[in-house]
Amino acid sequence: MVRLVALIISIVLQIIAASIALGFMKMTKYRLSWILLSLSFVFMAIRKIIQLFEFFRGTPSYTWQMIDEWIGVLISVMIIVGVILIREIFYSLKRAEIDRLRTEKRVLNAIINTEENERKRFAKDLHDGLGPLLSTVKMSLSSLTGRITDPTGTVILNNTNHLVNESINTIKDISNNLSPHVLSNFGLTSAIGAFTTKINQ
């Protein structure tokens, strides 16, 4: 009775395993390795069904014993060949992972390059656009220095001149922070050195 229950449980489990394995065949693109492993599960279930029939017959015949043994040999061969061939699936997965990482790296580099180019463009526009305008305002203010005799006007002119100088320096700092010319012209070591000196000051 215990052997009968064990046989039935074994048959049910092997049929479930075979159906699951057969279901994965499409996912593995019908690779021979997976087909062999799936068929080995099917043959295991068939073998157990034969053992169940023999159990009910009572005395196993020589023919059925030989069929059972040869099915066992066939299962072993299919499993060995399937396991040997399944390496191809793992190599494919590994290649896919390497390709995915390369693609991610290329996309990341493209994003970084685009961002860096945009920062350079913006820094150049600030430096070349607003810088000359403020320098022109500074020259105009300088030309007024000798013409204003009123002390209040002189104070206002000096304050305005000071504000224009601050604005020019701020634009230079913003432009340099966006895209440090030291970094692009002299490299990372010089840029870090200049940045450290600036912080220390």
Side-chain angles (χ1 to χ4, degrees), residues 12-107:
V12 170
L13 291 175
Q14 287 177 359
I15 288 172
I16 291 170
S19 57
I20 291 170
L22 290 169
F24 283 138
M25 265 206 271
K26 187 177 180 183
M27 207 190 302
T28 61
K29 298 179 182 173
Y30 300 101
R31 301 238 168 129
L32 180 61
S33 58
W34 197 257
I35 291 171
L36 288 172
L37 290 172
S38 301
L39 287 176
S40 65
F41 284 123
V42 171
F43 280 114
M44 280 187 217
I46 290 169
R47 190 175 181 198
K48 286 296 176 186
I49 290 169
I50 290 171
Q51 288 175 1
L52 183 66
F53 282 132
E54 289 297 310
F55 176 80
F56 284 123
R57 277 187 62 202
T59 55
S61 68
Y62 177 76
T63 307
W64 283 110
Q65 283 180 343
M66 288 307 295
I67 291 171
D68 184 51
E69 291 300 323
W70 281 107
I71 289 176
V73 171
L74 180 65
I75 290 169
S76 300
V77 169
M78 285 194 298
I79 288 174
I80 289 171
V81 173
V83 168
I84 289 170
L85 294 177
I86 205 164
R87 291 181 304 178
E88 180 190 337
I89 293 174
F90 293 115
Y91 289 145
S92 297
L93 291 172
K94 190 174 182 181
R95 280 193 302 271
E97 180 66 17
I98 290 169
D99 289 345
R100 186 186 64 78
L101 290 173
R102 281 184 188 151
T103 304
E104 281 181 6
K105 192 174 181 182
R106 277 198 300 268
V107 168

Side-chain angles (χ1 to χ4, degrees), residues 120-136 171-172 175:
K120 282 180 184 175
R121 186 193 64 76
F122 188 62
K124 187 175 185 294
D125 288 350
L126 264 179
H127 186 268
D128 296 347
L130 271 176
L133 285 174
L134 286 172
S135 296
T136 306
I171 284 177
K172 282 181 184 175
S175 175

